[in-house]
Each structure stands twice: as C-alpha cells, then as structure tokens.
Amino acid sequence: MGQRRSLFTLVVAAAIALGLAPPATADPNIPANDKIRMFVGQDSDTLSDYKRDVLTSGVPQPGGVTLYTNLVLGGNPAPLAGMYGPVNWGSGTVDFQRTLNEFPGASLAVGLYLSDATSGCGNQPLRAIIGRNDADLVSGNLVAQYRAKVDEMVNKLKSYNREIFLRIGYEYDGPWNCYNADFYKQAFRYIKGRINALGANKIATVWQSAAWPLNEHTGNPEWNYVVTAPNHFDVWYPGDDVVDWVGMSAFYGSTHNRYQWSCKAPSINPRALQDRVLSFARGHGKKVMISEAAPQGFTTGSKTQSCIFQKNPQPVSGQTIVDTWFEDLFSYVTANRDVISSVAYINTNWDAQTQWQCNGAPAGQPGCANGYWGDSRVQADPTVKARWIAEIRKSQYVNGSGTTTPPPPAAGRQLLVGQSNTAAWQDLTSATGADPAGGSVYYGVRDGNFAGQSGSSSHLAYADFLAARGKQIQVGISWKDYPPAWNGDPNTQLQASRQATVDIANGRYDNQFTALTNYINAHRGSTFLLRLDYEVSSAFHCVNGSDCSSYRNAFRKLVQLIDARTGGANVKYVYHPVRGEFDKLYPGDDVVDQVGLSIFNQDLCQPFWENGTAYWNGEQNTANRTCLGYYDAIVNGNRNAIRHEYPVDLNVLRMLWWAKQHNKKIVLSEVGVQRMASALDGSGRQSDGDYRTFVDRLGTLLNYRGPIPNGVVDGRQTDFLGTGYDLSDVIDSVVFIDLDWRYGFDGKVGANPPFGFPSSSGWFVNSLISQYPQGRSALCGLLAAGFTTRCA
C-alpha cells in the first residue's frame, strides 16, 4: 500500500518474453462530460471516518473509494485480503464489503500488490502468473494456483457490478517493489486478458508509475529504476491494447523543496517527472489517474511539517499546508484537465498506522522503514477542510454542483478591472469586447464598510455587480488613508495610521470587519483577494517607522479573524507593500497567499508629469526611458558590476525575484497610466503613443527575462547567471485601472463627482482605454499572449 521508500538489494532474474495480446476494453470508465472523478481512500477505517466527519449536508459524495488487496501466495495476509472479510496489515482495516455498503454507487479503485520484496525479490508472483517453467514454480504447482487466484479476483470484482479501476502492480517502477520490467509487463497483459475473457467489462486497468524522483541502483541500469533515462516509461509499458488508464503517484509537486525535500535533492524535479507521465499518456491517447495523492510530511492534526527522509516536525499553519500542497495539486489537475480525469486522495492519519510510523530514524532504517508520512486527514484542520470541500464542490468533479464555490481558475493570467465602480468595467469591456476575471473595490476600517456606500456607482454596487457574475473581487482594506480615531489633521495622519496598526493587531477593531465577512459568506461564488491595507510602508505601518512587528501582527490577526468567520475557502490574502520595502514588513509565508504590487509610470521607467516637470525614478536614460543600474556577474571567480539599462524600476525587479524565492505569485493590484507629458487635448487625453508605450512596457514586465539589479535581497545574493533570471511566471493577475483620473481616484464623471485632481497634477489625465486606439490595440495584444481574458 502507498509507497515504500526503503531500498532493497534487488535480485532480479533475466526475463523471457511471453506475448499475450487480448483485445482492449471498449469502455475504460472515463467520466462523462469531461468530469474528474475524485476518489478517497485508502482503507475502510479511514473511509468510515471521512463519511462521518466530512460528508455533512451539502458536501458531495466522493466519486470513488480506494482499497487494496494482494496476490502473493504464502504470505501474510493471504491472497485477495479484504475481499472476503476484514484484514489489517498495519495500515488500517480493509473490508471491501463494508466500504461498498457505506458508499453505494461509488467507483472502486483497487491497488493490486504483486511483490515478494519481503522474501527475496524473486518476482515469483509475476513469473507464476505469466506461466514460466521455473523450478520453484513447477515444484509447488504455483502457475495453476496463481492463475486460479487471478480468475477468482476478476470474478469477485465483477460481482460488485460497479466501475472498477484495477491498479495492477501499482507503482511498478518503485524500487521498493523490486519488479522486473519484462515480468511485470507480461503479467499485466495476462491479467488484462483474463478480464476480457471473463467478460468483466466494468474493470479498467491502470498502469501506475510511482513517479519517484530519485534515480535508484544506477549501477544496474537493467533494473530500470533510473527515472531520468529518456526511455524509462517505454521499458515498463505493457502496450496500448491492455492499458486503459495511465496512473501516477503525486505526493509532492512544484513546492517539493520548501518542506518535503528540504533535506535531500531529488534527481529530477518531481513536477517535471509528473509532466513526463502526462506527456506519455497524451502520446498514447490515454487518460490519467492520479492514483495516490497526499501531502507527505505534513500533519494536518498537529499542524507540522517535516522533510520526508527524517522526522523533524516543525510548526506550520493550516493555511500553509493549503497554500503549499493542496493549491499546487488542485491547480495542476485543473490546468491538465485534457488528460487528468481521476484523482485519488489518501485521507489517512499515517502516524496512527504501524506500517507508516517513523520514530525519527533516517528513512529506510528500522523505526522509519517507509520514511515520514504524517497526517493527511482533511478534517483534522478547519482551514484544510474548508478548502477541500470548496474544491470537491466544483462542477468539474463528478458529484460536484459548482453552485457554492468559485469556478476553477482558467490557465493563464487573470485580468481584473479597477477601480471602484462599474463605469471602469463598462468602458473596458465596451472598447475591447473582453470578459475580465474580476474587479477591484475598497473597504474602510474606520467606517467598517465598503467605500462610497450610496448610489449605483458605489464600491458596494460594483462588488455586487462582480459577485452576481461569480467574478474575483479584489478588496483594498484601508486604514492608513483615513485611520480610525483620527481627527482629520494632516499633521497627525502618520501617527494615527501607526496607532491603528497596533490597535488592529490587538483586536480593537474586530467589529469593523463584520460587514466584510458577512459579505464574503453571502457570496461564496466569488473569490476575494483581500489586501490588508495596501502600499504598506514602514512610515505608515511601523512603530516609530522602524518596528514593523505591529503590521506583521495586524496582518496575521486579520487572517485569523477572517478565516474564523468565513472558513477561508473563497479568500486569498494579499500582502501589498511599496516597492523597496517588501521584506521588512512581510508577515510570513504561512499567512500570505499572494504579493501585491502597484505599477504606474515611474515603475516602468516612464515620466510622471507634475507642475510642468517630468519626474523619474532614480537615475534615468530619458531618451530610451530606461532605469540605469548594475548587475553582478561572476567572471573567472570574481564578482564584476556591469552597467545595465533596465526596462522597469530596479526595485520592482528585486520584488519579483524576492516573491519567487517565497513561492508567491504577484498580483499587480493597481496598474494605471498617469500623465506623461504637459500637453493634453480638450478631453484630457494625452498622446496615444505614450499610452501604447506604457502597455508595451507592462508586457515587458510580465514576461521579464534578464539580469537582476545587484545586491542582497532577503539575505540572498543575486548573481547574473547565463542569460539572466526568468521571472515570466511570477505575475499571475493584473488589475488594470480604466479611469478618467481628472475626477479623482474613483473617476466618477457626473453632476456630483468626488474630488478632482488639480490640472497641474500628474494624476490629471483621461486614461479611459476607449479613448486610445493604439493603447487598446496594445492591450488586446497583451491579453492574447497568455491571459484568460481576450478581446472580441
């Protein structure tokens, strides 16, 4: 069951080919309507607990359940264990009939164990099944006995009269199973042949790779445990005619090195190896079943994490477990829906089962034979449970309704429209024909409500407009602009903001968030991106401008408060600092979902026109509109500072690099075109070419590949490597502000607009996308190159 991480000295006999080619199954149990079948397992006790603790009213039944049996004569337990009564071999009770009774109508995934690893790795079960004439088989009449058991198993599974996913010799390329590749392929073909011959047309075969990212026994490449070999999967493949599904294990993905593999480097990136499995399946026209998935090394109950190779638990939050592992798996499944049609989650307290316990010894040694596993029960942590339920409710899953949770994110960057009212949305959509992913509004802590409460153009009205369409809603939760308990004197605003930060951390203003959390609870179909204040800085959020623990504490306090009131399933928390201070106020990986960043003219090395003068950030090459700086390159072992013209502000690039080190995506929470030149026409418009240049430079930022400005960021020295750094995957959302800035930050044009900016201000400009044909064309080109939103 599961994965055995201990390493055996393999004794594998040379193979003698036996070609059996039964016809392929006509119906391999692929879900209708491109759904994904979610299985839960992997023993009867675990499944009973899941039914009791998770399947409350409104929570969909799993599409399938996972159990295990074996086909090894002479061992303990006996062959076909669990199919005729309860059995427990140290990994929970397995009782097929009990589980099938508890989950009527569910499909059944069966892990079929065929290994004799504990008795010498002679591959006797495989050799007997394929009918070899070896002495040990002949003397015990084992060929007949094994083949009789194969037929007995097939007939028993057939009698269940439900979809069966038979994982034949699961994790075939896991060295802990010590299968011989040729024997394995022939045994797989024989079993499939008996399935067909016995008319068991509801049994689909699953060919499951361990996707174990370590090369094992490299001195014996004939054993085929070198996963980096280009033909690794080909040498194990039984053939298109007998394989219905391609399976793989997925215990770690793109975030593996943060915790699970922090003490040992894999031979290949686990996600890259999983991608190879998907590519193999696509190439052979097969659907993929993620046959085993669990956050190995995490404990949801006690909220810890550890490297999987030696038990050393360290505290983490439930949100960290969600962010690090669950979101990674869910997004991977959604992004690969063309081929992944089934996922089997192991909802088990591994620490409570003797087979998986680890006392702190190194993996593979007595006391920790199978490495460290932990506790993967979703119900053991409320944050994990809420996120799990939100996921399985999605309409992409079998039994998921999709009515009470946000829709699955589409692959690509998200475009949101800012800010504050539907006029911005209507201008952009009418000009482009696009359907954005969401919008942006503001919420004031002082008033305890959305800004601009009255009128159809209020922030609340825009939020309602977005929520009615199931769109994402970015909420800027503000206290620095108008702090609670502030008397309005501009000379005291700074200190009032600092004091408000301290007070929020201490829970003084908890009641001011009631309207917000009630709104989130009432609109479960939208995802809320909550900026816990925005453009935060040491000046406004740190005691005396230097002690920033108060902001970090305030952020963490609000995450705890909002999660407790909403469950956090449709909430993401955004840390949005000013550029240059991203590390100083950072609340921590465990509470931050995304990093926010504002991008205006100067951030893209463009001019900002104020009182008749063009202002720039730092040293500039104004002719080329670039920011000048240095990067460090190592030449012959020496560090050289090289002059470079950067297309965007140096601190912005440092921030992208820093966010990537923390495995956080960036949302450009405010992106707006300001005034770039002195002259404006009668409608407040500036040069269409300047507008286009801004959008083009924004595209450069989104897809940046190149050097990073020199220096130490977050304790790490940046060095120029090869062609530079690839930061093109860091930014995943853009909030484009489509406003006429002459009428203030809300851009409301009408009889009673809010305050307007003075005509000498850099904000005094009409930036409505509808007014700039070249700018519109540039934006549409940008969206076509990787966004989920496209122009019509």
Side-chain angles (χ1 to χ4, degrees):
M1 297 182 65
Q3 289 189 309
R4 289 185 171 85
R5 299 297 178 222
S6 53
L7 304 181
F8 297 92
T9 302
L10 306 185
V11 181
V12 183
I16 299 176
L18 175 64
L20 296 175
T25 301
D27 178 13
N29 299 345
I30 296 173
N33 302 319
D34 296 322
K35 298 276 189 176
I36 299 170
R37 187 175 299 282
M38 181 68 79
F39 288 76
V40 176
Q42 60 183 0
D43 63 83
S44 298
D45 294 335
T46 282
L47 285 161
S48 295
D49 292 345
Y50 180 85
K51 183 175 183 178
R52 180 195 65 213
D53 299 335
V54 180
L55 296 185
T56 54
S57 177
V59 179
Q61 296 280 334
V65 293
T66 301
L67 295 173
Y68 288 76
T69 192
N70 75 327
L71 216 171
V72 181
L73 295 176
N76 184 19
L80 308 187
M83 298 181 75
Y84 295 98
V87 66
N88 190 325
W89 51 85
S91 50
T93 302
V94 173
D95 186 339
F96 277 60
Q97 199 56 56
R98 166 185 154 192
T99 295
L100 295 178
N101 290 341
E102 289 183 353
F103 294 89
S107 296
L108 172 64
V110 179
L112 177 59
Y113 188 65
L114 296 169
S115 173
D116 58 356
T118 59
S119 57
C121 291
N123 279 248
Q124 188 180 77
L126 298 182
R127 290 186 290 113
I129 289 170
I130 65 180
R132 286 175 59 90
N133 193 30
D134 300 329
D136 61 324
L137 305 179
V138 173
S139 64
N141 193 30
L142 294 183
V143 171
Q145 293 185 57
Y146 268 98
R147 289 186 165 184
K149 284 295 181 184
V150 169
D151 282 7
E152 181 184 347
M153 175 191 68
V154 171
N155 283 322
K156 185 66 173 174
L157 295 175
K158 179 182 175 182
S159 73
Y160 297 147
N161 193 30
R162 64 178 76 197
E163 288 185 348
I164 306 293
F165 293 73
L166 184 61
R167 296 155 48 209
I168 300 172
Y170 57 91
E171 296 184 332
Y172 55 80
D173 54 354
W176 47 91
N177 287 323
C178 62
Y179 293 135
N180 170 284
D182 287 330
F183 294 161
Y184 171 78
K185 290 185 291 187
Q186 294 169 56
F188 194 108
R189 295 186 66 83
Y190 179 86
I191 293 171
K192 176 62 170 179
R194 297 310 299 160
I195 292 171
N196 291 340
L198 295 170
N201 56 17
K202 289 189 176 182
I203 301 179
T205 58
V206 182
W207 174 69
Q208 179 192 345
S209 170
W212 174 238
L214 274 182
N215 288 332
E216 303 278 12
H217 306 286
T218 54
N220 294 89
E222 70 275 11
W223 292 349
N224 301 303
Y225 295 125
V226 179
V227 294
T228 55
N231 66 338
H232 173 71
F233 295 114
D234 295 297
V235 299
W236 286 97
Y237 191 53
D240 286 345
D241 57 330
V242 295
V243 171
D244 295 321
W245 288 69
V246 170
M248 69 175 178
S249 298
F251 294 105
Y252 10 79
S254 62
T255 62
H256 67 281
N257 59 346
R258 291 181 60 188
Y259 300 115
Q260 297 167 298
W261 287 75
S262 59
C263 61
K264 186 173 185 176
S267 304
I268 182 175
N269 184 297
R271 181 48 48 79
L273 184 57
Q274 293 162 11
D275 286 343
R276 283 182 58 193
V277 176
L278 300 192
S279 295
F280 187 94
R282 290 185 178 104
H284 288 263
K286 303 296 182 182
K287 290 293 188 179
V288 168
M289 178 186 200
I290 296 181
S291 306
E292 299 181 40
Q296 185 184 3
F298 290 93
T299 56
T300 52
S302 59
K303 298 179 181 59
T304 65
Q305 60 78 23
S306 173
C307 179
I308 64 175
F309 293 95
Q310 187 159 0
K311 183 177 181 179
N312 182 28
Q314 302 296 318
V316 292
S317 69
Q319 190 64 52
T320 295
I321 300 174
V322 168
D323 294 342
T324 304
W325 193 88
F326 283 91
E327 295 293 358
D328 182 69
L329 176 70
F330 295 155
S331 63
Y332 188 64
V333 170
T334 298
N336 292 282
R337 284 185 61 184
D338 66 300
V339 66
I340 298 176
S341 293
S342 184
V343 181
Y345 182 74
I346 303 175
N347 194 64
T348 293
N349 183 0
W350 306 83
D351 279 346
Q353 298 179 350
T354 56
Q355 182 174 344
W356 308 111
Q357 289 173 351
C358 179
N359 63 11
Q365 300 299 315
C368 193
N370 299 312
Y372 180 62
W373 287 86
D375 181 358
S376 58
R377 293 171 301 155
V378 296
Q379 69 266 34
D381 178 82
T383 302
V384 173
K385 180 180 178 181
R387 181 62 186 91
W388 170 262
I389 292 174
E391 182 68 19
I392 63 175
R393 279 176 172 161
K394 291 181 179 179
S395 58
Q396 70 181 14
Y397 296 101
V398 172
N399 296 335
S401 65
T403 58
T404 56
T405 189
R413 290 190 174 101
Q414 307 290 305
L415 175 71
L416 284 71
V417 181
Q419 60 185 3
S420 310
N421 61 75
T422 54
W425 176 283
Q426 291 164 348
D427 183 76
L428 186 141
T429 57
S430 63
T432 64
D435 183 21
S440 182
V441 297
Y442 289 79
Y443 183 97
V445 175
R446 182 186 181 98
D447 296 329
N449 228 321
F450 289 93
Q453 286 299 296
S454 63
S456 61
S457 62
S458 71
H459 295 235
L460 179 59
Y462 189 30
D464 288 342
F465 172 88
L466 296 168
R469 291 158 176 79
K471 300 293 185 178
Q472 296 182 50
I473 304 174
Q474 178 181 261
V475 182
I477 299 175
S478 173
W479 63 84
K480 71 176 172 62
D481 289 342
Y482 202 23
W486 179 47
N487 62 8
D489 176 10
N491 296 319
T492 61
Q493 181 182 5
L494 185 69
Q495 186 56 44
S497 177
R498 294 175 180 174
Q499 184 60 50
T501 305
V502 174
D503 291 342
I504 289 171
N506 291 332
R508 179 177 176 183
Y509 296 112
D510 286 3
N511 290 337
Q512 300 302 98
F513 295 88
T514 300
L516 176 64
T517 54
N518 287 346
Y519 193 86
I520 292 171
N521 287 329
H523 298 91
R524 293 292 188 181
S526 287
T527 297
F528 291 81
L529 310 179
L530 303 185
R531 294 186 286 161
L532 306 186
D533 220 336
Y534 45 87
E535 297 177 340
V536 297
S537 66
S538 57
F540 279 86
H541 297 86
C542 301
V543 175
N544 298 322
S546 58
D547 180 3
C548 299
S549 61
S550 57
Y551 176 75
R552 294 193 293 270
N553 292 339
F555 194 105
R556 301 181 74 88
K557 165 64 178 178
L558 291 181
V559 169
Q560 181 184 34
L561 174 71
I562 295 169
D563 272 357
R565 293 180 178 180
T566 68
N570 60 330
V571 175
K572 291 185 178 181
Y573 298 99
V574 180
Y575 164 62
H576 182 182
V578 297
R579 50 181 164 76
E581 287 198 320
F582 40 83
D583 192 46
K584 190 173 183 180
L585 295 92
Y586 188 53
D589 287 346
D590 58 324
V591 290
V592 172
D593 294 312
Q594 293 183 324
V595 175
L597 176 62
S598 294
I599 295 295
F600 294 99
N601 295 11
Q602 294 168 290
D603 303 292
L604 300 179
C605 301
Q606 305 295 292
F608 176 76
W609 201 267
E610 183 84 19
N611 294 321
T613 302
Y615 291 90
W616 304 76
N617 277 348
E619 188 178 2
Q620 301 285 331
N621 179 337
T622 55
N624 296 327
R625 292 189 174 182
T626 54
C627 299
L628 302 180
Y630 293 85
Y631 66 82
D632 288 345
I634 306 299
V635 180
N636 297 325
N638 297 313
R639 187 181 301 279
N640 291 347
I642 297 176
R643 186 77 158 174
H644 187 68
E645 294 188 3
Y646 291 94
V648 297
D649 182 86
L650 277 62
N651 281 308
V652 170
L653 292 179
R654 289 191 181 102
M655 186 166 176
L656 262 65
W657 184 85
W658 170 85
K660 189 167 186 175
Q661 308 316 301
H662 287 268
N663 289 304
K664 301 299 179 185
K665 296 295 186 181
I666 280 184
V667 51
L668 299 185
S669 296
E670 299 180 23
V671 177
V673 186
Q674 300 166 300
R675 186 171 178 175
M676 295 191 196
S678 177
L680 302 175
D681 70 9
S683 297
R685 293 173 297 197
Q686 58 186 332
S687 162
D688 197 359
D690 278 346
Y691 201 114
R692 181 197 65 228
T693 299
F694 177 93
V695 176
D696 288 343
R697 187 62 61 81
L698 175 63
T700 300
L701 171 62
L702 294 175
N703 300 291
Y704 184 80
R705 295 177 177 86
I708 301 295
N710 63 359
V712 176
V713 181
D714 194 19
R716 303 173 177 89
Q717 177 69 47
T718 58
D719 300 309
F720 182 72
L721 303 173
T723 57
Y725 292 83
D726 185 352
L727 301 178
S728 62
D729 61 345
V730 181
I731 300 170
D732 73 351
S733 299
V734 174
V735 183
F736 192 83
I737 301 176
D738 188 80
L739 291 182
D740 187 341
W741 291 107
R742 296 176 298 168
Y743 296 93
F745 290 119
D746 285 350
K748 297 176 185 174
V749 182
N752 296 295
F755 73 92
F757 289 110
S759 59
S760 60
S761 166
W763 294 98
F764 186 87
V765 64
N766 181 349
S767 287
L768 294 170
I769 189 70
S770 61
Q771 304 299 301
Y772 297 89
Q774 293 183 41
R776 176 203 172 280
S777 178
L779 180 63
C780 287
L782 185 64
L783 297 178
F787 279 78
T788 59
T789 297
R790 302 284 197 278
C791 295

